[in-house]
Amino acid sequence: MAAPVMGVFDYLVPVAVEGPLLVGQRVRVPFGRGTRMGWLVGAKAVSELPEQRLRRVLSVLDAQPLMPPDLLRMLVWAARYYQHPLGEVLSAALPKALREGHALARGEPCWALSAEGRSADPGALRRAPAQLGIYLKLRASSAPVTAADLDAVSSGWRRAVAALAARGWVTVSHAAALPPVADIGPDEPPVLTADQAQAVAQINAARGFRCFLLDGVTGSGKTEVYLRCIEQVLAAGRQSLVLVPEIGLTPQLLERFQRRFPVPIALLHSGLSDGERLRAFTAASDGTAAIIIGTRSAIFAPLLRPGLIVADEEHDPSYKQQEGWRYSARDLAVWRARELGVPLVLGSATPSLESVENARSGRYTRLVLPSRTGAAGQPRVSLIDLRQHAAREGLTQPLLAAIRRHLDAGGQVLIYLNRRGYAPVLMCPACGQVLECPRCDARMVLHQQRGQLACHHCGSERPVPAQCPDCAGELKPVGQGTERLERALAAAFPDQQIERIDRDTTRRRGEIERRLNRVRREEARILMGTQMLTKGHDFPRVTLVGIIDADQGLFGSDFRSAERLAQSFVQVAGRAGRAEHPGEVYLQTLFPEHPLLRVLISKGYAQFATLALDERRQAGWPPFTCLALLRAEASERAPVSAFLQAAAALARDQAPAGLNVLGPASAPMERRAGRYRGQLLLQAASRRELQLFLPGWRAALAEVETRRRVRWSLDVDPVDLF
Ligand code: ADP
Ligand code: ZN
C-alpha cells in the first residue's frame, strides 16, 4: 500500500478465495483502524510475527495480477536498492487509477493483420473463402476492425478469424485502449549505411539480454537503427519499449514511428490524464500496444511479450527522478532488460561517462556510428576570444558576420544561450546593491517583458522596483538572457523573423510545435533559445550554430559539470549542418585555452570522455566509486547540522573500511525557498559495499532524535551533488 513506511506487512490469506492468490494482485486489508488497498508481493508459509497478531486479508480485488511478475520483482528490488518505502515505489510506478482500486481499462476487442499476414500471399486461402473474405477486409482497412465490422462480412467470421490467427496472420487487440492508429502514410526506409547495418545486425543477433551502447554523432542515424531493430521485434510478435528524455519536445519522433509502423503505439508521459495513463498501461500489459514510447516512468510499463528496450539520449539527466523516490530509469532499464532476457540499446551522441566506462570494460557492447548519413561532414568549430572581440549585447563582430554570411547563403542560424529572462542580474551601480531572492541564496532574474523579477530556484516573483531600494539610484541590468539577446538580434537583423524557444515563450500548449514549424517552413531563419533546442530536434537547414557564452559552467563545482558542459556543447553543435548542408559552430569564450574546450574542439567527445574518466578515476568519483547522498533541510540551520552530524557519526561508526563519509557540509546553495539545506556524502568502492551498508544505516537514521525537525532524503547514485 502507499504508506510511507519501510517494509512489507504479513497477513493471513482470506477465508474464502476464488482461484489462486497471485503476486501482483491487489488486496484490501485492515491497517491500523481502517482498511487500505495493498499489493500482494509474495507469499510465505511462516511469519516472524506470532499468529494471533496477524490479521486477515479482507478481499482480493483482481482475478488476475495487474502487474507481470518481472515488474513487481523490479519494484521490490528497486525499493531496496534506493532505500525507499515499497509502498511509495509502487505508487510512483503505477497509474493512479489502479491505486484507487479501478480495474484495467480494457476496450472492445478488434482485429488486424500481423506483419506476417500483411506480407502473406492470399492465394493460400483459395480453398477457405470465409477466411479469404475476412483477410481481404482486414487488408483493406488501415485501422483494426471491430466485431460489428466483421459481422457485416460474414456471420461465421469468428471461426475464420480464429483460423487466420492460428496461421499467425491476425492479431487481436483492444480498441478503446488506445487512440486509433494514425494513417499518415508509409515511410520508405532508407538503405542502411554499412555502420548502421553492422549495428542492426549485432543487436538483432542478440539472444537474450545484452546491453548495447549505440554511440553515434547527431544525425548518424541512431533512430533508424532503433526502427530496424523494432521492425524485427514486431515481426516476431513482440513489444518494444522506447524511452526518451522528453516527449513534449519530440512530437516528430512519434510521427516517425507511426509512419514506419502502422501498429498501435502507447504513449506514456507526465502530460497524460489519469484515464489516458490507465489505457496506455493496459494496452502495454495486454499486448495491444506493439510499441510503447515514453519518458522516465515508462520504464514501469508492464509488457506482455517483451522483445526490446531502447533508451534514447541515455546521458540525459532527466532519466533520473529528482524528488521522492529518486530512481534512474536508465539504470532500471538495464536491470529490467536482464530480468526479461531482452536486448537493451542505450543510444547517445554524448554517452554518459558511466556507459562509456561500461563499454570500455566490456560489460556493454559498443556500436559506433562515426559519421553522418548525409553528405555533410562534421561541422567546423571555431572559438571567438571575448578578450579580443568585445561583445555588445552578447554579440561579437565575428559572430555577427558569420550570421550574416549564413543568412545570405540561404542557411538558417541557431543561437544558443542557456539562460532565460532578460538579464541574470539587476544591480545598482551607485551603491553596488544586487537584487537577491529573499528566500534563496540566489539573484533575481529580470524578466523585462513581464515586468517581473523572478527567482529561478524557488519560483517567487515580484514587480521590478523603479529604483534601488537602498539608495534610490537607477538600477541596471547586467548580463544576457534569451529575452535580451532576442532584442539584440532583432536590432542587428531587422528584416529577419526570430523564433525564441525557452520555457517562457513555450508555456502555452502546442507553442513549441508552432515555433518549430515556422522554422521548418523557413518563415523564420534565426532560431534562438536554451537547452530546449538541444533535445533531439532535426533542423535540416541550420548551417550555423552560435554559442553565446561557452563559459557558463566551465568552472562548476560538481564533479559532473565538465561532462554536462561537454554534452550540451556537442549536442547543440550537432544541430549545425545536416543532410547536404555543411555546418559551422562558433563559441564565444573568455577562456580559449581552457583544456576542456581545447580537447572537445580538437579531439571530439570520445577523447574528452577518456580524459574525463582518467580524472574521475584519480579523484575517486563515479563510475569508479558509488555514491549515496543524504540531504536534509529545515527552516533553520541548527537542526540540519545536528541531524547530519548524528548521521555522520552513525556512518563512521558502522562503515566498513573503504567507505568514506564526506561531510556534512552545507549544500552549494545553502538557502533555497526559505529553507537551509545540508548534505552528507557516502563514497564506497563498490555498489555491493554500499548496498550492504545502507539498510542498517537507514534504519538507524529513522531513529535519530533530530530527524523530526528536518526533512531528509537519501539519494542513491545521485546525479547532482546539491
Ligand atoms: P540520429 O538519431 O542519430 O540523430 P536519425 O536516425 O534521426 O539520426 O537520422 C538522421 C537523418 O538521416 C534522418 O533524416 C534520417 O531519415 C536520415 N537517415 C538515417 N539513416 C539513413 C540512411 N541509411 N540513408 C539515408 N538517410 C538516412
Ligand atoms: Zn528564490
Side-chain angles (χ1 to χ4, degrees):
M1 70 206 71
V5 284
M6 294 296 283
V8 173
F9 298 89
D10 290 355
Y11 285 91
L12 296 171
V13 297
V15 186
V17 253
E18 288 171 31
L21 277 177
L22 298 165
V23 161
Q25 279 170 331
R26 292 171 303 176
V27 290
R28 189 151 281 287
V29 294
F31 191 76
R33 287 160 184 230
T35 69
R36 296 287 278 271
M37 201 199 81
W39 296 85
L40 187 59
V41 298
K44 52 187 177 184
V46 185
S47 172
E48 292 85 58
L49 284 174
E51 181 152 353
Q52 59 274 23
R53 285 195 48 207
L54 287 176
R55 300 163 82 182
R56 209 170 270 286
V57 170
L58 299 172
S59 59
V60 179
L61 302 184
D62 309 303
Q64 290 297 317
L66 293 193
M67 273 183 278
D70 75 282
L71 179 54
L72 192 60
R73 273 201 301 280
M74 177 172 82
L75 296 175
V76 170
W77 174 85
R80 195 181 153 76
Y81 182 84
Y82 291 104
Q83 289 295 309
H84 202 77
L86 179 59
E88 288 189 4
V89 165
L90 288 166
S91 288
L94 299 168
K96 184 153 159 254
L98 292 184
R99 301 196 310 267
E100 292 173 346
H102 293 286
L104 290 176
R106 305 201 66 166
E108 113 184 84
C110 51
W111 292 266
L113 291 185
S114 64
E116 195 185 338
R118 257 194 311 270
S119 58
D121 171 15
L125 300 174
R126 248 171 316 156
R127 283 156 210 260
Q131 288 183 48
L132 183 61
I134 298 295
Y135 177 86
L136 293 175
K137 169 76 187 168
L138 294 178
R139 191 147 101 166
S141 57
S142 54
V145 165
T146 61
D149 297 333
L150 294 175
D151 273 337
V153 181
S154 97
S155 58
W157 63 268
R158 282 188 192 273
R159 272 178 59 191
V161 161
L164 288 168
R167 286 176 191 265
W169 289 12
V170 164
T171 56
V172 64
S173 60
H174 291 266
L178 287 177
V181 174
D183 191 7
I184 43 181
D187 165 29
E188 224 8 78
V191 177
L192 295 181
T193 63
D195 296 316
Q196 283 173 318
Q198 162 81 6
V200 170
Q202 285 211 52
I203 298 166
N204 283 351
R207 294 285 160 263
F209 169 69
R210 197 153 148 203
C211 186
F212 296 92
L213 177 61
L214 182 61
D215 180 350
V217 298
T218 309
S220 61
K222 293 184 291 298
T223 312
E224 189 58 41
V225 169
Y226 311 147
L227 291 170
R228 291 305 168 91
C229 298
I230 291 169
E231 187 180 336
Q232 178 176 303
V233 172
L234 280 174
R238 302 199 159 268
Q239 295 167 290
S240 302
L241 172 61
V242 181
L243 303 177
V244 294
E246 263 165 291
I247 271 186
L249 299 180
T250 48
Q252 297 154 282
L253 181 79
L254 177 64
E255 194 185 308
R256 207 162 151 195
F257 273 72
Q258 287 279 222
R259 218 180 265 290
R260 187 66 62 87
F261 306 118
V263 300
I265 297 182
L267 284 187
L268 277 165
H269 56 88
S270 57
L272 298 180
S273 69
D274 292 346
E276 288 169 325
R277 176 172 297 277
L278 183 62
R279 283 194 290 280
F281 185 91
T282 307
S285 87
D286 69 12
T288 306
I291 302 173
I292 296 98
I293 305 180
T295 48
R296 182 172 63 220
S297 66
I299 189 59
F300 309 123
L303 301 172
L304 184 69
R305 295 183 300 268
L308 174 71
I309 303 179
V310 173
D312 191 26
E313 308 291 358
E314 64 87 32
H315 66 279
D316 198 293
S318 68
Y319 280 125
K320 176 86 195 227
Q321 168 72 34
Q322 297 280 31
E323 57 198 38
W325 172 32
R326 294 174 157 84
Y327 65 92
S328 156
R330 195 256 330 264
D331 294 351
L332 288 181
V334 178
W335 197 91
R336 191 145 187 229
R338 183 184 302 121
E339 193 71 6
L340 293 173
V342 301
L344 168 67
V345 182
L346 302 174
S348 178
T350 52
S352 64
L353 295 187
E354 281 80 358
S355 296
V356 171
E357 175 59 19
N358 277 325
R360 197 201 52 78
S361 71
R363 287 186 57 209
Y364 297 174
T365 305
R366 181 161 177 253
L367 304 168
V368 188
L369 305 179
S371 47
R372 296 183 171 186
T373 57
Q378 287 298 303
R380 210 186 64 216
V381 184
S382 328
L383 294 178
I384 298 175
D385 186 343
L386 285 169
R387 294 165 309 183
Q388 281 173 29
H389 304 279
R392 279 195 50 202
E393 298 287 295
L395 298 163
T396 56
Q397 278 311 322
L399 182 59
L400 285 166
I403 296 174
R404 198 157 285 127
R405 199 168 65 242
H406 281 259
L407 291 175
D408 287 346
Q412 287 181 321
V413 167
L414 185 158
I415 306 294
Y416 174 74
L417 175 61
N418 199 27
R419 203 190 285 127
R420 65 197 172 82
Y422 185 83
V425 179
L426 188 60
M427 80 173 281
C428 171
C431 73
Q433 149 108 317
V434 169
L435 292 180
E436 296 194 335
C437 175
R439 306 170 67 216
C440 304
D441 294 334
R443 290 161 173 172
M444 297 292 268
V445 177
L446 174 63
H447 285 254
Q448 189 125 297
Q449 277 161 355
R450 297 208 302 271
Q452 295 281 318
L453 286 177
C455 172
H456 287 184
H457 300 281
C458 70
S460 66
E461 297 209 351
R462 63 185 149 119
V464 182
Q467 45 182 238
C468 174
D470 278 2
C471 75
E474 194 189 339
L475 292 166
K476 192 169 174 285
V478 181
Q480 302 291 318
T482 47
E483 200 183 310
R484 187 176 199 174
L485 185 66
E486 180 182 24
R487 240 181 38 189
L489 284 165
F493 302 96
D495 46 356
Q496 292 289 338
Q497 185 178 330
I498 297 167
E499 291 299 341
R500 166 155 71 99
I501 299 209
D502 58 29
R503 269 207 283 140
D504 295 313
T505 63
T506 56
R507 260 171 222 213
R508 259 185 302 153
R509 214 189 157 106
E511 190 61 28
I512 297 182
E513 267 312 275
R514 277 193 284 282
R515 286 176 184 252
L516 292 177
N517 281 336
R518 287 199 287 268
V519 174
R520 277 184 215 117
R521 290 196 300 263
E522 298 193 58
E523 291 161 25
R525 314 240 325 272
I526 300 181
L527 169 67
M528 58 159 302
T530 57
Q531 195 87 25
M532 285 177 92
L533 286 174
T534 66
K535 306 265 177 182
H537 301 293
D538 190 359
F539 303 114
R541 300 200 68 88
V542 165
T543 52
L544 171 69
V545 166
I547 297 178
I548 293 297
D549 182 2
D551 304 336
Q552 231 181 332
L554 209 46
F555 302 97
S557 57
D558 196 290
F559 73 93
R560 273 183 232 269
S561 14
E563 177 185 357
R564 293 265 183 273
L565 190 67
Q567 287 165 342
S568 50
F569 281 174
V570 174
Q571 293 285 346
V572 76
R575 311 294 131 190
R578 272 206 160 187
E580 64 280 16
H581 310 286
E584 264 192 300
V585 179
Y586 283 90
L587 288 95
Q588 300 188 143
T589 175
L590 274 170
F591 307 96
E593 304 304 325
H594 193 287
L596 184 146
L597 294 177
R598 291 246 70 91
V599 171
L600 263 186
I601 288 167
S602 58
K603 306 254 171 59
Y605 184 82
Q607 189 61 29
F608 158 79
T610 305
L611 293 176
L613 276 168
D614 282 345
E615 284 178 18
R616 295 259 187 107
R617 184 182 287 111
Q618 280 160 24
W621 287 121
F624 304 100
T625 54
C626 285
L627 304 180
L629 187 65
L630 176 67
R631 296 185 177 88
E633 58 168 66
S635 51
E636 285 158 74
R637 191 181 273 132
V640 173
S641 80
F643 173 77
L644 291 174
Q645 295 288 358
L650 280 171
R652 293 204 167 93
D653 214 33
Q654 301 175 355
L659 193 135
N660 293 324
V661 181
L662 308 173
S666 47
M669 180 189 294
E670 186 182 17
R671 216 163 58 93
R672 181 172 170 165
R675 300 180 63 88
Y676 288 88
R677 309 180 312 145
Q679 56 193 33
L680 180 71
L681 187 65
L682 300 183
Q683 185 184 43
S686 72
R687 241 173 213 194
R688 212 182 102 75
E689 191 177 60
L690 189 63
Q691 286 294 320
L692 282 175
F693 168 76
L694 285 177
W697 185 57
R698 194 201 180 282
L701 288 180
E703 305 293 318
V704 169
E705 214 186 296
T706 41
R707 74 183 184 280
R708 293 190 201 282
R709 299 180 53 209
V710 300
R711 203 186 293 153
W712 63 275
S713 64
L714 193 56
D715 189 350
V716 178
D717 303 332
V719 296
D720 289 313
L721 297 190
F722 56 79

